[in-house]
Amino acid sequence: MFEAHHHARMLADATRLTAFHDAMAEVIADGDRVLDAGTGTGILAAMASQLTAGTVVAVEYLEDTASFAEQALRASDLDRVEVVQGNAVQVDIGTPPDVVVSETIGSLGPEENIVGLTHALRQRYPGIRAFIPSRLRVLAEPVVSPEADALRASVMGAFTREQPGGMSFASVLPQAEHALGSQIITAKLTGATSAGPARPLVEYDLGATSEADFSRTLSFGDSPANAVHLYFEAPLSAAVTLSSHRTAAFTHWGHSYIVRPPHASTVTIGYRSADRRFTCRWERTAESDQPPTGRHGLDREV
Ligand SMILES: C[S@@+](CC[C@H](N)C(=O)[O-])C[C@H]1O[C@@H](n2cnc3c(N)ncnc32)[C@H](O)[C@@H]1O
């Protein structure tokens, strides 16, 4: 099934499309053969075809989506774009490409397998001159966020409230806090302020990096942070970097964050490509192993 709603959101994301357009204009030379790996509606392939007299190969593995792109490109008279249905890693595209553009960037970066995809393409076509994006970093910034406080108040309020039927969650409130802290929330962080420098979690050199998995433990000690903003930076070219940081132009990727439980001072953030998921696990240290009170405590009025 062609996911019209999903693709419409991406087409409405002018920040994303302008960034890719400007980067392609910088990187693609006239005559280049371009591979758009994961073409979706074909929008990036269409843009690329305006920048080169060479062929643009638009590869999409979903049958209905490839067919949608094919029809749209033909109706737009973009005949130098060749749509190929199949997995960009394996499908035969004839002559090797000079430039690969791939917008297979997940909510936090690697979840759509951009690392494995670009690495496999580099192995198959060693002569590729450039990948757009060329790198992908995931970072974590401690923040003080009213959005995180409001979310926590509403979630913990639900578990604290007296329930019809007499069931009480009082004994499992710490578990609820911990579970909330392990979930990645996507929203708009308009009111957040920085509570310390951003820390890099991982950086991929696309095409060269073979392994997307990582695990990193961050310590927050007595930081006032009530949340950690997780975001990516993707340099698309020398001049253009796409970012999902809360202060960058807003994109359809939104702003991701995790809520810090009141007693927690370290968090381990990891990514596993086998299940294409991030995991976040908060822990308390001996010094912070006290009843939750004060600024982030359960007794706090929000
Ligand atoms: C995030 S969408 C982006 C679509 C389009 N490039 C754009 O920028 O609007 C990624 C697309 O890549 C396709 N895709 C992901 N991995 C692929 C692969 N290995 N081979 C072919 N298509 C792939 C998905 O089905 C999806 O349509």
Side-chain angles (χ1 to χ4, degrees):
M1 190 188 64
F2 170 63
E3 291 186 10
H5 179 233
H6 175 56
H7 286 284
R9 282 182 63 230
M10 291 190 284
L11 290 176
D13 184 347
T15 300
R16 177 187 85 101
L17 291 181
T18 304
F20 269 90
H21 177 270
D22 293 353
M24 286 195 288
E26 196 183 325
V27 172
I28 294 173
D30 198 8
D32 275 349
R33 182 173 172 83
V34 178
L35 166 62
D36 177 12
T39 202
T41 53
I43 181 66
L44 300 185
M47 287 178 181
S49 74
Q50 311 295 306
L51 301 165
T52 177
T55 299
V56 178
V57 186
V59 180
E60 169 58 49
Y61 56 24
L62 302 179
E63 207 176 317
D64 291 350
T65 306
S67 155
F68 185 91
E70 170 87 46
Q71 288 176 56
L73 289 159
R74 293 301 149 259
S76 308
D77 280 336
L78 292 164
D79 290 333
R80 268 180 305 98
V81 181
E82 190 186 311
V83 178
V84 177
Q85 194 241 315
N87 188 333
V89 170
Q90 296 141 1
V91 80
D92 182 12
I93 59 160
T95 310
D98 301 298
V99 175
V100 172
V101 58
S102 188
E103 202 284 69
T104 46
I105 304 174
S107 309
L108 283 180
E111 304 96 314
E112 291 185 20
N113 194 32
I114 192 168
V115 177
L117 172 64
T118 49
H119 181 256
L121 288 170
R122 165 69 84 210
Q123 298 294 301
R124 195 168 169 201
Y125 307 115
I128 291 169
R129 195 183 72 242
F131 285 92
I132 305 172
S134 58
R135 303 182 82 80
L136 180 66
R137 300 186 272 276
V138 187
L139 300 103
E141 179 194 30
V143 291
V144 174
S145 158
E147 295 88 357
D149 267 348
L151 176 74
R152 181 168 166 267
S154 118
V155 170
M156 295 317 293
F159 287 108
T160 310
R161 209 167 292 133
E162 199 175 304
Q163 300 294 334
M167 183 168 181
S168 164
F169 294 97
S171 64
V172 285
L173 287 180
Q175 283 96 316
E177 282 272 15
H178 188 80
L180 175 62
S182 69
Q183 268 187 280
I184 297 177
I185 312 295
T186 303
K188 231 178 188 176
L189 285 176
T190 46
T193 53
S194 178
R199 311 191 200 168
L201 295 176
V202 69
E203 176 155 5
Y204 307 112
D205 179 356
L206 297 176
T209 306
S210 58
E211 182 60 64
D213 294 21
F214 74 89
S215 177
R216 184 95 209 265
T217 300
L218 306 175
S219 180
F220 293 102
D222 51 14
S223 161
N226 65 346
V228 179
H229 174 35
L230 301 173
Y231 63 101
F232 69 77
E233 286 176 350
L236 303 184
S237 66
V240 182
T241 292
L242 194 57
S243 170
S244 62
H245 188 258
R246 62 191 172 80
T247 59
F250 194 71
T251 66
H252 79 286
W253 283 285
H255 300 149
S256 294
Y257 68 95
I258 48 177
V259 178
R260 180 184 182 186
H263 45 272
S265 62
T266 68
V267 64
T268 301
I269 300 170
Y271 177 71
R272 272 170 47 93
S273 46
D275 42 18
R276 297 198 180 183
R277 270 173 58 88
F278 274 82
T279 52
C280 306
R281 198 184 67 248
W282 285 97
E283 271 166 49
R284 53 174 80 183
T285 57
E287 316 83 80
S288 64
D289 194 3
Q290 298 155 5
T293 55
R295 166 118 181 70
H296 306 303
L298 288 176
D299 55 347
R300 180 161 184 254
E301 295 283 323
V302 181

